[in-house]
Amino acid sequence: MSGKQTPRPRQAYIETFGCQMNERDSEIMGQLLSQADYTITSELHRADVVVVNTCSIRGKAQQKAMSLLGRLKLAKKKRPGLIIAVTGCVAQQEGAAIRERMGHVDLVIGPQNLQRLPELIRQVKSGGPGGVAIEQSNTFNLPAFIPELESSALPHKRFVTIMQGCNNFCTYCVVPYTRGREVSRAPADILAEVRHLVAGGVKEITLLGQNVNSYGMERQERDFPNFPDLLRLVAAEPGIVRLRFTTSNPKDLSPELMRCFAELANLCPHFHLPVQSGSDVVLKRMNRKYSRAEYLEKVAGLRAARPDIAITTDLIVGFPGESEADFEATMALLEEVRYHGAFSFKYSDRPKTVSAGFADKVEESVKAARLNRLQARQQEITMARHQEDIGKVMAVMVEGESRDGDGQWSGRSDTNLVVNFSGVVGTLKPGEMVQVRVEAACQNSLRGTLS
Ligand code: 5AD
Ligand code: SF4
């Protein structure tokens, strides 16, 4: 059936929660829907199909998606033809239970079944009962097609997925349950996508996976590249000005990967290295498979390879059994590493995880107090780090003109910090490189003048 016969183009609305993997998955779904003759709308009330791409990493993330789904019940009452699909990690985790609880949801589709979205929508449109697609697979099964460039708000930088899933089973984490086992994408497919993007004008590529440092390991094939091999292959593509990747588990950060930071000029000096806790007892109970000392050695190794590298992290406070002394060990780690930035969270129980069954849960008020203290101290450290940049001239990749129309422009440093700057005569293109002299530091950005 062709949508061209309908009087008004059919429209789809996609709401995305969670990480960059989910953002990339939403782009893929947008493209699949375009191919099925839908236009993507940013206005929910115009949509014939609503996709809610959910995240379940913490209780709060899941609640946000569930509350949007709750509100959609009314929309469906007003427009019974509206098709509602729940995708992403909550879809995988809850499966059919979502449809049992929410009769207005037509489709539940896990992250490894995205490619079935158009076919399942067609079934509902032709009177089918809706359904649940959460079968897990152990091959890389995202559609191998190529992102549309014009669909992006910032067309000079794009994500490229290099692997799906995670094998680590940290005791607090749902990802191995929602995204399945690690599967690496074939290097030829990755390179084809990268080349297409660069030919279309993309300057910055971020390689994506839950645990990129173990890229290729599950393949156990002699000539399948490991992660440093892949980085070298991608970095050598002409036209890539900046190369980044995320996310990594410190346990798989090898000396070979550290050397890449010394050797590859376009590999950006930024490493997001989630530590989670500074206490060996807690790290063990989290099943992180590294100690505080081993982690610090990796930080030192990275700084030896690339002295200007910015290291950022994720931290969890109030993990079950976390004592005052454990928490103090995390606070002391902040002083020792002096992170450029940190995301920090209160521990929350997640379905199926091992730690959900642990005794000694930390009280909510204690978690909140610890989080406040940690965030306040990290903000000071981040600010001090930013102040160290004052007076430097740095390479900035232009993102665009400030919305205030005050002649200010905005871009990113190689460490991925927002840099606002003035002194532009004429106009600049997104993706262009400029030199900016830093004059002031703010909590989340730097300010300066074109040099
Ligand atoms: N509770 C709190 N924070 C969590 N994270 C992952 N699982 C949980 C949980 N159950 C945090 C970790 C991870 C980041 C993406 O989310 O810090 O690195
Ligand atoms: Fe959220 Fe993790 Fe799923 Fe990403 S992989 S959407 S962070 S639960």
Side-chain angles (χ1 to χ4, degrees), residues 46-301:
R46 293 192 186 281
D48 307 289
V49 170
V50 175
V51 177
V52 182
N53 195 9
T54 60
C55 168
S56 74
I57 193 82
R58 290 172 294 276
K60 245 195 196 160
Q62 180 160 348
Q63 281 151 23
K64 274 197 220 158
M66 295 320 257
S67 102
L68 171 60
L69 283 170
R71 293 199 302 280
L72 285 172
K73 189 172 180 176
L74 195 68
K76 181 109 169 185
K77 241 191 202 132
K78 286 193 200 145
R79 286 181 290 144
L82 181 67
I83 296 176
I84 299 175
V86 182
T87 62
C89 290
V90 180
Q92 187 67 41
Q93 178 187 292
E94 306 282 320
I98 298 181
R99 296 196 68 213
E100 282 154 22
R101 271 206 316 273
M102 299 186 165
H104 59 291
V105 170
D106 300 285
L107 297 169
V108 175
I109 304 174
Q112 296 186 48
N113 288 273
L114 300 185
Q115 67 287 0
R116 297 192 55 200
L117 179 67
E119 155 215 334
L120 292 168
I121 289 175
R122 252 192 319 273
Q123 286 176 12
V124 176
K125 272 188 94 74
S126 52
V132 177
I134 55 170
E135 299 74 34
Q136 292 200 315
S137 120
N138 51 11
T139 53
F140 190 91
N141 61 358
L142 282 181
F145 60 42
I146 300 288
E148 279 169 65
L149 293 171
E150 61 279 15
S151 67
S152 166
L154 287 170
H156 67 282
K157 55 179 197 183
R158 299 301 300 242
F159 297 127
V160 174
T161 304
I162 64 163
M163 59 192 300
Q164 299 175 300
C166 182
N167 289 352
N168 286 335
F169 290 94
C170 302
T171 53
Y172 52 81
C173 190
V174 287
V175 171
Y177 307 97
T178 61
R179 297 227 172 222
R181 292 296 71 70
E182 285 173 8
V183 262
S184 300
R185 186 177 184 191
D189 291 345
I190 295 171
L191 284 173
E193 187 165 317
V194 165
R195 283 181 192 136
H196 167 82
L197 292 172
V198 173
V202 169
K203 311 279 184 220
E204 177 178 309
I205 298 276
T206 302
L207 303 179
L208 273 188
Q210 244 75 40
N211 187 23
V212 292
N213 294 6
S214 56
Y215 175 81
M217 284 186 191
E218 90 285 358
R219 300 290 280 243
Q220 301 191 333
E221 292 161 34
R222 198 140 2 106
D223 50 2
F224 200 92
N226 65 14
F227 186 56
D229 295 333
L230 181 73
L231 274 181
R232 287 189 285 261
L233 279 172
V234 177
E237 280 300 315
I240 296 188
V241 180
R242 284 182 171 176
L243 178 60
R244 306 181 184 278
F245 59 83
T246 197
T247 293
S248 314
N249 185 314
K251 82 174 168 49
D252 301 316
L253 167 48
S254 62
E256 191 187 354
L257 180 53
M258 292 176 194
R259 280 197 298 279
C260 288
F261 282 91
E263 287 163 10
L264 304 175
N266 52 2
L267 181 61
C268 288
H270 174 208
F271 208 117
H272 186 64
L273 195 60
V275 66
Q276 313 300 0
S277 168
S279 154
D280 279 335
V281 182
V282 175
L283 287 173
K284 194 146 198 104
R285 287 161 55 85
M286 287 177 163
N287 193 31
R288 291 291 285 176
K289 303 193 188 95
Y290 55 82
S291 65
R292 176 193 175 102
E294 283 161 351
Y295 180 89
L296 287 170
E297 256 171 52
K298 306 227 168 177
V299 168

Side-chain angles (χ1 to χ4, degrees), residues 294-334:
E294 283 161 351
Y295 180 89
L296 287 170
E297 256 171 52
K298 306 227 168 177
V299 168
L302 283 171
R303 288 182 173 156
R306 188 83 181 250
D308 59 342
I309 200 163
I311 298 176
T312 55
T313 202
D314 290 344
L315 295 147
I316 297 176
V317 301
F319 186 77
E322 185 188 71
S323 66
E324 274 306 317
D326 292 325
F327 176 65
E328 290 304 336
T330 300
M331 291 298 292
L333 187 81
L334 296 189

Side-chain angles (χ1 to χ4, degrees), residues 312-356:
T312 55
T313 202
D314 290 344
L315 295 147
I316 297 176
V317 301
F319 186 77
E322 185 188 71
S323 66
E324 274 306 317
D326 292 325
F327 176 65
E328 290 304 336
T330 300
M331 291 298 292
L333 187 81
L334 296 189
E335 306 303 328
E336 209 161 329
V337 178
R338 294 190 74 245
Y339 290 104
H340 280 71
F343 298 103
S344 46
F345 312 98
K346 287 188 281 189
Y347 168 78
S348 83
D349 276 341
R350 307 307 298 132
K352 294 193 193 155
T353 59
V354 172
S355 65

Side-chain angles (χ1 to χ4, degrees), residues 364-381:
E364 209 42 48
S365 59
V366 175
K367 284 193 233 173
R370 287 180 185 169
L371 187 69
N372 279 341
R373 216 184 116 200
L374 183 147
Q375 289 184 335
R377 181 61 194 131
Q378 181 55 45
Q379 281 203 349
E380 291 170 355
I381 296 171

